[in-house]
Amino acid sequence: MRLDKFLKVSRLIKRRTLAKEVAGQGRIKINGNNAKASSIVSVGDELVIQFGQKVVTLEVTSLKEAVNKDEATTLYRVIREEKVD
């Protein structure tokens, strides 16, 4: 599944266009490598996303084309959250 679509479906980022923008700014890494919006995400991948003053590291646990709001958090597991100065 494309990175931008995964971020939207998992509700980590609300809109796919915003996910493309964040990836274009180099604020997302997949398994330690800079990721583009079109990068492919697989189960078991580690994503590092920089949200403003916070860096979130998570593991992809499941891939689904569509989920409801309550199931969105089952697609990933947060490994750690860090504040950036």
Side-chain angles (χ1 to χ4, degrees):
M1 174 181 289
R2 285 175 54 110
L3 174 63
D4 56 346
K5 183 163 185 177
F6 174 77
L7 293 171
K8 180 189 178 298
V9 170
S10 65
R11 290 173 172 75
L12 286 163
I13 297 179
K14 292 187 185 226
R15 289 170 298 163
R16 201 163 168 181
T17 54
L18 184 59
K20 287 180 184 180
E21 199 174 295
V22 171
Q25 294 170 351
R27 294 171 31 197
I28 303 176
K29 294 181 186 265
I30 299 177
N31 298 325
N33 301 316
N34 283 336
K36 295 181 180 177
S38 61
S39 298
I40 301 300
V41 176
S42 304
V43 173
D45 283 352
E46 182 178 277
L47 300 180
V48 179
I49 307 170
Q50 182 179 346
F51 294 104
Q53 300 300 315
K54 183 169 67 169
V55 175
V56 179
T57 304
L58 50 96
E59 178 186 0
V60 178
T61 57
S62 175
L63 295 175
K64 295 184 181 173
E65 290 296 316
V67 293
N68 63 33
K69 189 176 182 181
D70 299 331
E71 294 176 338
T73 57
T74 64
L75 299 178
Y76 61 91
R77 178 178 63 88
V78 175
I79 298 171
R80 69 180 162 271
E81 289 185 43
E82 303 168 317
K83 288 203 175 218
V84 178
D85 295 330

Coordinates of all heavy atoms in Angstrom, one line a residue:
M1 N 0.9 -1.2 0.0 CA 0.0 0.0 0.0 C 0.9 1.2 0.0 O 1.9 1.3 0.7 CB -0.9 0.0 1.2 CG -1.7 1.2 1.4 SD -2.8 1.2 2.9 CE -4.0 0.0 2.5
R2 N 0.5 2.3 -0.7 CA 1.2 3.5 -0.8 C 1.2 4.2 0.6 O 0.3 4.1 1.4 CB 0.6 4.5 -1.7 CG 0.8 4.2 -3.2 CD 0.1 5.1 -4.1 NE 0.3 6.5 -3.8 CZ 1.0 7.3 -4.6 NH1 1.5 6.9 -5.8 NH2 1.2 8.6 -4.3
L3 N 2.3 4.8 0.9 CA 2.5 5.5 2.2 C 1.4 6.5 2.5 O 0.8 6.6 3.5 CB 3.9 6.2 2.3 CG 4.1 7.1 3.5 CD1 4.1 6.2 4.8 CD2 5.5 7.8 3.4
D4 N 1.1 7.4 1.5 CA 0.1 8.4 1.7 C -1.3 7.8 2.0 O -2.0 8.3 2.8 CB 0.1 9.4 0.5 CG -0.2 8.8 -0.8 OD1 0.0 7.6 -1.0 OD2 -0.5 9.5 -1.8
K5 N -1.6 6.7 1.3 CA -2.9 6.1 1.5 C -2.9 5.5 2.9 O -3.9 5.6 3.7 CB -3.2 5.0 0.5 CG -4.5 4.4 0.7 CD -5.1 3.7 -0.5 CE -6.5 3.2 -0.2 NZ -7.1 2.6 -1.3
F6 N -1.8 4.8 3.3 CA -1.8 4.2 4.7 C -2.0 5.3 5.8 O -2.7 5.0 6.7 CB -0.5 3.5 4.9 CG -0.3 3.0 6.3 CD1 -1.0 1.8 6.7 CD2 0.5 3.6 7.2 CE1 -0.9 1.4 8.0 CE2 0.6 3.2 8.5 CZ -0.1 2.0 8.9
L7 N -1.3 6.4 5.6 CA -1.4 7.5 6.6 C -2.8 8.0 6.7 O -3.3 8.3 7.8 CB -0.5 8.6 6.3 CG 1.0 8.2 6.4 CD1 1.9 9.4 5.9 CD2 1.4 7.9 7.9
K8 N -3.5 8.1 5.6 CA -4.9 8.5 5.6 C -5.9 7.5 6.2 O -6.7 7.8 7.1 CB -5.4 8.8 4.2 CG -6.8 9.3 4.1 CD -7.3 9.4 2.7 CE -8.7 9.8 2.6 NZ -9.7 8.9 3.2
V9 N -5.7 6.2 5.8 CA -6.6 5.1 6.3 C -6.4 4.9 7.8 O -7.4 4.7 8.5 CB -6.3 3.8 5.5 CG1 -7.0 2.6 6.1 CG2 -6.8 4.0 4.0
S10 N -5.2 5.0 8.2 CA -4.9 4.8 9.7 C -5.2 6.0 10.5 O -5.1 6.0 11.7 CB -3.4 4.4 9.9 OG -2.6 5.5 9.5
R11 N -5.5 7.1 9.8 CA -5.9 8.4 10.4 C -4.7 9.0 11.2 O -5.0 9.8 12.2 CB -7.1 8.3 11.3 CG -8.4 8.0 10.5 CD -9.6 7.7 11.3 NE -10.8 7.7 10.5 CZ -11.2 6.7 9.7 NH1 -10.4 5.7 9.5 NH2 -12.4 6.7 9.1
L12 N -3.5 8.7 10.8 CA -2.4 9.4 11.4 C -2.3 10.8 10.8 O -1.9 11.7 11.5 CB -1.1 8.6 11.1 CG -0.9 7.3 11.9 CD1 0.1 6.4 11.3 CD2 -0.5 7.6 13.3
I13 N -2.7 10.9 9.6 CA -2.8 12.2 8.9 C -4.1 12.2 8.2 O -4.5 11.3 7.5 CB -1.6 12.5 7.9 CG1 -0.3 12.5 8.6 CG2 -1.8 13.7 7.1 CD1 0.9 12.7 7.8
K14 N -4.9 13.3 8.4 CA -6.3 13.3 8.0 C -6.5 13.3 6.5 O -7.5 12.7 6.1 CB -7.0 14.6 8.6 CG -7.1 14.5 10.1 CD -8.0 15.6 10.6 CE -7.9 15.5 12.1 NZ -9.2 15.7 12.7
R15 N -5.7 13.9 5.7 CA -5.9 14.0 4.3 C -4.7 13.5 3.5 O -3.5 13.7 3.9 CB -6.2 15.4 3.8 CG -7.5 15.9 4.3 CD -7.7 17.4 4.0 NE -6.6 18.0 4.8 CZ -6.2 19.2 4.7 NH1 -6.7 20.0 3.8 NH2 -5.3 19.7 5.4
R16 N -5.0 12.8 2.4 CA -3.9 12.2 1.6 C -3.0 13.3 1.0 O -1.8 13.1 0.9 CB -4.5 11.4 0.5 CG -3.6 10.4 -0.1 CD -4.4 9.4 -0.9 NE -3.5 8.6 -1.7 CZ -3.9 7.6 -2.5 NH1 -5.1 7.3 -2.6 NH2 -3.0 6.9 -3.1
T17 N -3.5 14.5 0.6 CA -2.7 15.5 0.1 C -1.8 16.1 1.2 O -0.6 16.4 0.9 CB -3.6 16.7 -0.4 OG1 -4.5 17.1 0.6 CG2 -4.3 16.3 -1.7
L18 N -2.2 16.1 2.4 CA -1.3 16.6 3.5 C -0.2 15.5 3.7 O 0.9 15.9 4.0 CB -2.2 16.8 4.8 CG -1.4 17.3 6.0 CD1 -0.8 18.7 5.6 CD2 -2.3 17.5 7.1
A19 N -0.6 14.2 3.6 CA 0.4 13.2 3.8 C 1.5 13.3 2.7 O 2.7 13.1 3.0 CB -0.3 11.8 3.7
K20 N 1.1 13.6 1.5 CA 2.0 13.8 0.4 C 3.0 15.0 0.7 O 4.2 14.9 0.4 CB 1.3 14.1 -0.9 CG 0.6 12.9 -1.5 CD -0.1 13.2 -2.8 CE -0.8 12.1 -3.4 NZ -1.5 12.4 -4.6
E21 N 2.4 16.0 1.2 CA 3.2 17.2 1.6 C 4.2 16.9 2.6 O 5.4 17.3 2.5 CB 2.2 18.3 2.0 CG 2.8 19.7 2.0 CD 1.7 20.7 2.4 OE1 0.7 20.8 1.6 OE2 1.9 21.3 3.4
V22 N 3.8 16.2 3.7 CA 4.7 15.9 4.8 C 5.8 15.0 4.3 O 7.0 15.2 4.6 CB 3.9 15.2 6.0 CG1 4.8 14.6 7.0 CG2 3.0 16.2 6.6
A23 N 5.5 14.0 3.5 CA 6.5 13.1 2.9 C 7.5 13.9 2.0 O 8.7 13.6 2.0 CB 5.9 12.0 2.1
G24 N 6.9 14.8 1.3 CA 7.8 15.6 0.4 C 8.8 16.5 1.1 O 9.8 16.9 0.6
Q25 N 8.4 16.8 2.4 CA 9.3 17.6 3.2 C 10.4 16.8 3.9 O 11.2 17.3 4.6 CB 8.5 18.4 4.2 CG 7.6 19.4 3.6 CD 6.6 20.0 4.7 OE1 6.5 19.5 5.8 NE2 5.9 21.0 4.3
G26 N 10.4 15.5 3.7 CA 11.4 14.6 4.3 C 11.2 14.3 5.7 O 12.1 14.0 6.4
R27 N 9.9 14.4 6.2 CA 9.6 14.2 7.6 C 9.2 12.8 7.9 O 8.8 12.6 9.1 CB 8.6 15.3 8.1 CG 9.1 16.7 8.0 CD 8.2 17.8 8.2 NE 7.0 17.5 9.0 CZ 5.9 18.2 9.1 NH1 5.8 19.2 8.3 NH2 4.9 17.9 9.9
I28 N 9.2 11.9 7.0 CA 8.8 10.5 7.2 C 9.9 9.6 6.7 O 10.5 9.8 5.7 CB 7.5 10.2 6.4 CG1 6.4 11.1 6.8 CG2 7.1 8.7 6.7 CD1 5.1 11.0 6.1
K29 N 10.2 8.6 7.5 CA 11.2 7.6 7.2 C 10.5 6.2 7.3 O 9.8 6.0 8.2 CB 12.4 7.6 8.1 CG 13.2 8.9 7.9 CD 14.4 8.9 8.9 CE 15.2 10.2 8.8 NZ 16.3 10.2 7.9
I30 N 10.9 5.3 6.4 CA 10.4 3.9 6.5 C 11.7 3.1 6.6 O 12.6 3.1 5.8 CB 9.7 3.5 5.2 CG1 8.4 4.3 5.0 CG2 9.3 2.0 5.3 CD1 7.7 4.0 3.7
N31 N 11.8 2.4 7.7 CA 13.0 1.5 8.1 C 14.3 2.3 7.9 O 15.3 1.8 7.4 CB 13.0 0.3 7.2 CG 11.8 -0.6 7.4 OD1 11.3 -0.7 8.5 ND2 11.2 -1.2 6.4
G32 N 14.3 3.6 8.4 CA 15.5 4.4 8.4 C 15.8 5.1 7.1 O 16.7 5.9 7.0
N33 N 15.0 4.9 6.0 CA 15.2 5.6 4.7 C 14.1 6.6 4.5 O 13.0 6.4 4.8 CB 15.1 4.6 3.6 CG 16.2 3.5 3.7 OD1 17.3 3.8 4.1 ND2 15.8 2.2 3.5
N34 N 14.5 7.8 4.0 CA 13.5 8.8 3.6 C 12.5 8.2 2.7 O 12.8 7.5 1.8 CB 14.2 10.0 3.0 CG 14.9 10.9 4.0 OD1 14.6 10.9 5.2 ND2 15.9 11.6 3.5
A35 N 11.2 8.6 3.0 CA 10.1 8.0 2.2 C 9.4 9.1 1.4 O 9.3 10.2 1.8 CB 9.1 7.4 3.2
K36 N 9.0 8.7 0.2 CA 8.1 9.5 -0.7 C 6.7 9.1 -0.4 O 6.4 8.0 0.1 CB 8.5 9.3 -2.1 CG 9.9 9.7 -2.5 CD 10.1 9.5 -4.0 CE 11.4 9.9 -4.4 NZ 11.7 9.6 -5.8
A37 N 5.8 9.9 -0.9 CA 4.3 9.5 -0.7 C 4.0 8.3 -1.5 O 3.1 7.5 -1.0 CB 3.5 10.7 -1.3
S38 N 4.7 8.0 -2.5 CA 4.5 6.7 -3.3 C 5.2 5.5 -2.8 O 5.0 4.4 -3.4 CB 4.8 7.0 -4.8 OG 6.2 7.3 -4.9
S39 N 6.0 5.7 -1.7 CA 6.7 4.5 -1.2 C 5.7 3.4 -0.7 O 4.6 3.8 -0.2 CB 7.6 4.9 0.0 OG 8.5 5.9 -0.4
I40 N 6.1 2.2 -0.9 CA 5.3 1.1 -0.5 C 5.5 0.7 1.0 O 6.6 0.6 1.4 CB 5.5 -0.2 -1.4 CG1 5.3 0.2 -2.8 CG2 4.7 -1.3 -0.9 CD1 3.9 0.7 -3.2
V41 N 4.4 0.6 1.7 CA 4.4 0.2 3.1 C 4.0 -1.2 3.3 O 3.0 -1.6 2.6 CB 3.5 1.1 4.0 CG1 3.4 0.7 5.4 CG2 3.9 2.6 3.9
S42 N 4.7 -2.0 4.1 CA 4.4 -3.4 4.3 C 4.2 -3.7 5.8 O 4.7 -2.9 6.6 CB 5.5 -4.3 3.8 OG 5.8 -4.0 2.4
V43 N 3.6 -4.7 6.1 CA 3.4 -5.1 7.5 C 4.8 -5.4 8.1 O 5.6 -6.0 7.5 CB 2.5 -6.4 7.7 CG1 2.5 -6.9 9.1 CG2 1.1 -6.1 7.2
G44 N 5.1 -4.8 9.3 CA 6.4 -5.0 9.9 C 7.3 -3.8 9.7 O 8.3 -3.7 10.4
D45 N 7.0 -2.9 8.8 CA 7.8 -1.7 8.6 C 7.8 -0.8 9.8 O 6.8 -0.7 10.4 CB 7.3 -1.0 7.3 CG 7.8 -1.6 6.0 OD1 8.5 -2.6 6.1 OD2 7.3 -1.2 5.0
E46 N 8.9 -0.1 10.0 CA 8.9 0.9 11.1 C 8.9 2.3 10.4 O 9.7 2.6 9.6 CB 10.2 0.7 11.8 CG 10.3 1.7 13.0 CD 11.6 1.5 13.8 OE1 11.6 0.6 14.7 OE2 12.6 2.2 13.6
L47 N 7.9 3.1 10.8 CA 7.8 4.4 10.3 C 8.2 5.4 11.4 O 7.8 5.2 12.6 CB 6.3 4.7 10.0 CG 5.6 3.9 8.9 CD1 4.2 4.3 8.7 CD2 6.4 3.9 7.6
V48 N 8.9 6.4 11.0 CA 9.3 7.5 11.9 C 8.7 8.8 11.3 O 9.1 9.1 10.2 CB 10.8 7.7 12.1 CG1 11.1 8.8 13.0 CG2 11.4 6.4 12.7
I49 N 7.8 9.4 12.0 CA 7.1 10.6 11.5 C 7.3 11.8 12.4 O 7.1 11.7 13.6 CB 5.6 10.3 11.3 CG1 5.3 9.1 10.5 CG2 4.9 11.5 10.7 CD1 3.9 8.6 10.6
Q50 N 7.7 12.9 11.8 CA 7.9 14.1 12.6 C 6.7 15.0 12.4 O 6.3 15.5 11.4 CB 9.1 14.9 12.1 CG 9.4 16.1 13.0 CD 10.6 16.9 12.5 OE1 11.5 16.3 11.8 NE2 10.8 18.1 13.0
F51 N 6.0 15.2 13.6 CA 4.8 16.1 13.6 C 5.2 17.3 14.4 O 5.2 17.2 15.7 CB 3.6 15.4 14.4 CG 3.0 14.2 13.7 CD1 3.3 12.9 14.2 CD2 2.2 14.3 12.7 CE1 2.7 11.8 13.6 CE2 1.6 13.2 12.1 CZ 1.9 12.0 12.5
G52 N 5.6 18.4 13.8 CA 6.0 19.6 14.5 C 7.0 19.3 15.5 O 8.2 19.0 15.2
Q53 N 6.7 19.4 16.8 CA 7.6 19.3 17.9 C 7.7 17.8 18.5 O 8.2 17.6 19.5 CB 7.3 20.2 19.1 CG 7.3 21.7 18.7 CD 8.7 22.1 18.2 OE1 9.7 21.8 18.8 NE2 8.7 22.8 17.1
K54 N 7.0 16.9 17.8 CA 7.0 15.5 18.2 C 7.4 14.6 17.1 O 7.1 14.7 16.0 CB 5.5 15.2 18.6 CG 5.3 13.9 19.2 CD 3.9 13.8 19.9 CE 2.8 13.8 18.9 NZ 1.5 13.5 19.4
V55 N 8.2 13.5 17.5 CA 8.6 12.5 16.6 C 7.9 11.2 17.1 O 8.1 10.8 18.2 CB 10.1 12.3 16.5 CG1 10.5 11.2 15.6 CG2 10.7 13.6 16.0
V56 N 7.2 10.5 16.2 CA 6.5 9.3 16.6 C 7.1 8.1 15.8 O 7.2 8.2 14.6 CB 5.0 9.4 16.3 CG1 4.3 8.1 16.6 CG2 4.4 10.5 17.1
T57 N 7.5 7.1 16.5 CA 8.0 5.9 15.8 C 6.9 4.8 16.0 O 6.5 4.6 17.1 CB 9.3 5.4 16.5 OG1 10.3 6.5 16.4 CG2 9.9 4.2 15.8
L58 N 6.5 4.2 14.9 CA 5.5 3.2 15.0 C 5.8 2.0 14.0 O 6.6 2.1 13.1 CB 4.1 3.8 14.7 CG 4.0 4.6 13.4 CD1 3.4 3.8 12.3 CD2 3.0 5.8 13.7
E59 N 5.1 0.9 14.3 CA 5.3 -0.3 13.5 C 4.0 -0.6 12.8 O 2.9 -0.5 13.5 CB 5.7 -1.5 14.4 CG 5.8 -2.8 13.6 CD 6.0 -4.0 14.5 OE1 6.1 -3.8 15.8 OE2 6.1 -5.1 14.0
V60 N 4.0 -0.9 11.5 CA 2.8 -1.2 10.8 C 2.4 -2.7 11.1 O 3.2 -3.6 11.0 CB 3.1 -1.1 9.3 CG1 1.8 -1.5 8.5 CG2 3.5 0.3 8.9
T61 N 1.2 -2.9 11.7 CA 0.8 -4.2 12.1 C -0.2 -4.8 11.1 O -0.4 -6.0 11.1 CB 0.1 -4.1 13.5 OG1 -0.9 -3.2 13.5 CG2 1.2 -3.7 14.5
S62 N -0.9 -4.0 10.3 CA -1.9 -4.5 9.4 C -2.1 -3.5 8.3 O -1.9 -2.3 8.4 CB -3.2 -4.7 10.2 OG -4.3 -5.1 9.4
L63 N -2.6 -4.0 7.1 CA -2.9 -3.1 6.0 C -4.3 -3.4 5.5 O -4.6 -4.6 5.3 CB -1.9 -3.4 4.8 CG -0.5 -3.0 5.1 CD1 0.4 -3.4 3.9 CD2 -0.3 -1.5 5.3
K64 N -5.2 -2.4 5.5 CA -6.5 -2.6 5.0 C -6.9 -1.4 4.1 O -6.4 -0.3 4.4 CB -7.5 -2.7 6.2 CG -7.3 -3.9 7.0 CD -8.4 -4.0 8.1 CE -8.1 -5.2 8.9 NZ -9.0 -5.3 10.1
E65 N -7.7 -1.6 3.1 CA -8.1 -0.5 2.2 C -8.9 0.5 2.9 O -8.9 1.7 2.5 CB -8.8 -1.1 1.0 CG -7.9 -1.9 0.1 CD -6.8 -1.0 -0.6 OE1 -7.0 0.1 -1.0 OE2 -5.6 -1.5 -0.6
A66 N -9.8 0.1 3.8 CA -10.7 1.0 4.5 C -11.0 0.4 5.9 O -11.2 -0.8 6.0 CB -11.9 1.2 3.7
V67 N -11.0 1.3 6.9 CA -11.5 0.9 8.2 C -12.3 2.0 8.8 O -12.2 3.1 8.4 CB -10.2 0.6 9.1 CG1 -9.4 -0.6 8.7 CG2 -9.4 1.8 9.3
N68 N -13.1 1.6 9.8 CA -13.9 2.7 10.5 C -13.0 3.3 11.5 O -11.9 2.9 11.8 CB -15.2 2.2 11.0 CG -15.0 1.1 12.1 OD1 -14.0 1.2 12.9 ND2 -15.9 0.2 12.2
K69 N -13.5 4.4 12.1 CA -12.6 5.2 13.0 C -12.1 4.4 14.2 O -11.0 4.6 14.6 CB -13.5 6.4 13.5 CG -12.8 7.5 14.2 CD -13.7 8.6 14.6 CE -13.0 9.7 15.3 NZ -13.9 10.8 15.7
D70 N -12.9 3.5 14.7 CA -12.5 2.8 15.9 C -11.4 1.8 15.6 O -10.6 1.4 16.5 CB -13.7 2.0 16.5 CG -14.8 3.0 16.9 OD1 -14.5 4.1 17.3 OD2 -16.0 2.6 16.9
E71 N -11.4 1.3 14.4 CA -10.4 0.2 14.0 C -9.1 0.8 13.5 O -8.1 0.1 13.3 CB -11.0 -0.7 12.9 CG -12.1 -1.5 13.4 CD -12.7 -2.4 12.2 OE1 -12.5 -2.0 11.1 OE2 -13.4 -3.4 12.5
A72 N -9.0 2.1 13.2 CA -7.9 2.8 12.6 C -6.6 2.5 13.4 O -5.5 2.3 12.8 CB -8.1 4.3 12.4
T73 N -6.7 2.5 14.7 CA -5.5 2.4 15.6 C -5.0 0.9 15.6 O -3.9 0.7 16.0 CB -5.7 2.8 17.0 OG1 -6.8 2.1 17.5 CG2 -6.0 4.3 17.1
T74 N -5.7 0.0 15.0 CA -5.3 -1.4 15.0 C -4.3 -1.6 13.8 O -3.7 -2.7 13.7 CB -6.5 -2.4 14.8 OG1 -7.1 -2.2 13.5 CG2 -7.5 -2.3 15.9
L75 N -4.1 -0.6 12.9 CA -3.2 -0.8 11.8 C -1.8 -0.5 12.1 O -0.9 -0.9 11.4 CB -3.6 0.2 10.7 CG -5.0 0.0 10.1 CD1 -5.3 1.1 9.0 CD2 -5.2 -1.4 9.5
Y76 N -1.5 0.0 13.3 CA -0.2 0.3 13.7 C 0.0 0.2 15.3 O -1.0 0.2 16.0 CB 0.3 1.7 13.3 CG -0.6 2.8 13.9 CD1 -0.2 3.4 15.1 CD2 -1.7 3.3 13.2 CE1 -1.0 4.5 15.6 CE2 -2.5 4.3 13.7 CZ -2.2 4.9 14.9 OH -2.9 5.8 15.5
R77 N 1.3 0.1 15.7 CA 1.6 0.0 17.1 C 2.6 1.1 17.4 O 3.7 1.1 16.7 CB 2.1 -1.3 17.5 CG 2.5 -1.5 18.9 CD 3.0 -2.9 19.2 NE 4.2 -3.3 18.5 CZ 5.4 -3.1 18.9 NH1 5.7 -2.5 20.0 NH2 6.5 -3.4 18.1
V78 N 2.4 2.0 18.3 CA 3.3 3.1 18.6 C 4.5 2.5 19.4 O 4.2 1.8 20.5 CB 2.6 4.2 19.4 CG1 3.7 5.3 19.8 CG2 1.5 4.8 18.6
I79 N 5.7 2.7 18.9 CA 6.9 2.2 19.6 C 7.3 3.2 20.6 O 7.6 2.9 21.8 CB 8.0 1.8 18.6 CG1 7.5 0.7 17.7 CG2 9.3 1.4 19.4 CD1 8.4 0.4 16.6
R80 N 7.4 4.5 20.2 CA 7.8 5.6 21.1 C 7.4 6.9 20.5 O 7.2 7.1 19.3 CB 9.3 5.6 21.4 CG 10.2 5.9 20.3 CD 11.7 5.9 20.7 NE 12.5 5.8 19.6 CZ 12.9 4.7 19.0 NH1 12.5 3.5 19.4 NH2 13.7 4.7 17.9
E81 N 7.2 7.9 21.4 CA 7.0 9.3 21.1 C 8.0 10.1 21.8 O 8.2 9.9 23.0 CB 5.6 9.7 21.5 CG 4.4 9.1 20.7 CD 3.1 9.7 21.2 OE1 3.0 10.9 21.4 OE2 2.2 8.9 21.3
E82 N 8.6 11.0 21.1 CA 9.6 11.9 21.6 C 9.3 13.3 21.3 O 8.9 13.6 20.2 CB 11.0 11.5 21.1 CG 11.4 10.1 21.3 CD 12.6 9.7 20.5 OE1 12.7 10.1 19.3 OE2 13.5 9.0 21.0
K83 N 9.6 14.2 22.2 CA 9.5 15.7 22.0 C 10.8 16.1 21.4 O 11.9 15.7 21.9 CB 9.1 16.4 23.2 CG 7.7 16.2 23.7 CD 7.2 17.3 24.5 CE 5.8 17.1 24.8 NZ 5.0 18.3 24.8
V84 N 10.7 17.0 20.4 CA 11.9 17.6 19.8 C 12.0 19.1 20.2 O 11.0 19.8 20.2 CB 11.9 17.5 18.3 CG1 13.1 18.1 17.6 CG2 11.7 16.0 17.9
D85 N 13.2 19.5 20.6 CA 13.4 20.9 21.0 C 13.6 21.8 19.8 O 14.2 21.5 18.9 CB 14.5 21.0 22.0 CG 14.2 20.3 23.3 OD1 13.1 20.2 23.6 OD2 15.2 19.8 23.9

